[in-house]
Amino acid sequence: MPSAFFRKSESESFSGGSRPSRPRVGVALGAGAARGWAHIGALQELVAMGVCPDIVVGSSIGAVVGGCFAAGRLDTLESFARSLTKRRVFGLLDVSFNGGGLIGGDRLRWRLEESIGAMRIEDLPIRYAGVATEIGSGHEIWLKRGPLVEAMRASYALPGLFEPVRVAGRWLFDGAIVNPVPVSVARALGADRVVALNIASEGSGRGTAIQDVPEADEAPVAPAPTAEDPRVGVMNGLRRGAGMLRRQWTSEGPGAPGLASVMVNAFNITQDRIMRSRLAGDPPDVLVSLKIGRIGLFEFHRADELIALGREAVRKARDEIAEHVELTPAKG
């Protein structure tokens, strides 16, 4: 169960003690690293078709996109996402020397604060919660008050990659470990109807037991390096070092997957199992799978494609959404 420290009374009303005349609509945004840019397009399409969310919750990248939506900054996030290139993404990763993670996260925090400012969750026009996990206890923490950027950072702090974030005396990291698509949070905050947006990559949910693996030929051994001018050797060494570091994060080129890719894929497999179990016990009214194909977990520079895929997924689910959620035509 979530920590009571961060939790308001279940009977607490959403706005001034009065319930809206229509059912409250909650949107739960799932985790998915870079693939979560699809949430931007999905939310834009929901609004365009007349869905008016009263409650938005998210885990990991879902907490980031959901927080920006609740703060009225989704357009700002979209512009930032579309501006990213491979070089710019790499430039946002500041190496940590504290031992809690490979990335300190200060550069990302500065960018978020620059875009969002000092907004507090309790002051947002739409009710919001980000989900995080407490180190040690494993408690599921619902971040429903305090600085919005701090809640986002805690929710996306992937173990081993980002340093954990200290909130109210607790060390927190990625909420996808305990609740990847937080439908239960949306309901607890008062949602009568919940639309869940789940990132579905190619092959997700298809894990099975393979009882035997045939042997394969070994890869050819790389040729031994030849002698070269020392100055050329230094420059080539630097280039190779930079290339190796880049491959560790992006898994570009042949050979084994990079460090970040290995960690996040392992995490992603676990997350998928947890997600299916949680949704089976507390299913949403509408589950929209944002199918993103083979786009990688760290391909943040592919926002254009991901946003379009998010819009397309919601557009295809329009009839199902309309069965459960009242569509309010846009004014004007």
Side-chain angles (χ1 to χ4, degrees):
M1 290 294 293
S3 168
F5 181 87
F6 293 89
R7 196 172 184 175
K8 298 179 183 178
S9 169
E10 296 296 338
S11 62
E12 179 186 2
S13 64
F14 172 61
S15 178
S18 61
R19 292 182 62 87
S21 57
R22 61 173 176 79
R24 292 177 182 159
V25 178
V27 177
L29 307 177
R35 299 161 174 173
W37 290 149
H39 287 317
I40 297 174
L43 285 169
Q44 290 171 335
E45 190 63 27
L46 283 173
V47 171
M49 70 172 52
V51 176
C52 300
D54 302 290
I55 298 160
V56 176
V57 300
S59 286
S60 199
I61 187 69
V64 175
V65 178
C68 289
F69 178 83
R73 298 287 193 276
L74 191 63
D75 289 346
T76 302
L77 181 65
E78 179 188 10
S79 297
F80 167 73
R82 291 185 186 275
S83 74
L84 291 175
T85 62
K86 289 183 181 181
R87 182 180 295 273
R88 287 176 179 171
V89 171
F90 197 69
L92 287 170
L93 305 179
D94 51 331
V95 178
S96 170
F97 297 99
N98 295 328
L102 298 177
I103 302 172
D106 285 337
R107 294 178 188 173
L108 288 171
R109 173 174 59 82
W110 294 334
R111 290 303 301 266
L112 286 170
E113 290 177 344
E114 182 181 48
S115 300
I116 297 174
M119 284 191 179
R120 296 183 63 83
I121 296 173
E122 55 267 38
D123 297 329
L124 297 175
I126 296 175
R127 194 164 192 187
Y128 166 84
V131 178
T133 306
E134 184 178 21
I135 293 177
S137 71
H139 290 325
E140 177 181 333
I141 306 295
W142 299 356
L143 299 168
K144 305 188 302 177
R145 65 173 182 261
L148 176 58
V149 170
E150 188 175 67
M152 291 178 179
R153 291 182 60 227
S155 189
Y156 72 63
L158 190 69
L161 291 184
F162 287 97
E163 292 181 357
V165 178
R166 191 170 179 82
V167 178
R170 300 170 184 263
W171 285 106
L172 307 179
F173 55 86
D174 204 311
I177 294 173
V178 289
N179 203 347
V181 186
V183 173
S184 57
V185 181
R187 293 206 188 279
L189 295 188
D192 301 302
R193 303 286 187 271
V194 178
V195 178
L197 303 178
N198 176 49
I199 304 297
S201 61
E202 187 172 298
S204 64
R206 298 179 185 174
T208 186
I210 298 175
Q211 300 184 16
D212 189 24
V213 179
E215 294 184 4
D217 294 334
E218 293 293 332
V221 178
T226 56
E228 58 185 357
D229 185 295
R231 292 169 297 180
V232 175
V234 170
M235 294 304 297
N236 286 341
L238 291 173
R239 293 191 188 97
R240 283 195 295 268
M244 289 175 62
L245 183 59
R246 187 179 300 108
R247 285 192 295 274
Q248 285 294 310
W249 293 107
T250 64
S251 298
E252 294 176 350
L259 171 63
S261 180
V262 168
M263 293 177 65
V264 176
N265 268 282
F267 179 74
N268 208 37
I269 293 168
T270 304
Q271 170 191 309
D272 181 70
R273 303 299 194 275
I274 295 170
M275 181 268 297
R276 284 188 280 164
S277 176
R278 293 294 301 252
L279 293 185
D282 191 2
D285 296 282
V286 182
L287 176 62
V288 182
S289 293
L290 310 183
K291 298 180 180 179
I292 48 77
R294 292 181 174 274
I295 295 178
L297 291 161
F298 287 93
E299 293 187 297
F300 287 93
H301 60 284
R302 298 180 67 177
D304 290 349
E305 299 167 68
L306 287 162
I307 292 170
L309 289 169
R311 295 193 74 115
E312 180 184 2
V314 170
R315 196 176 297 123
K316 289 180 177 178
R318 179 187 177 90
D319 291 344
E320 183 182 0
I321 293 170
E323 288 179 11
H324 298 275
V325 178
E326 179 182 348
L327 304 184
T328 305
K331 295 180 179 180

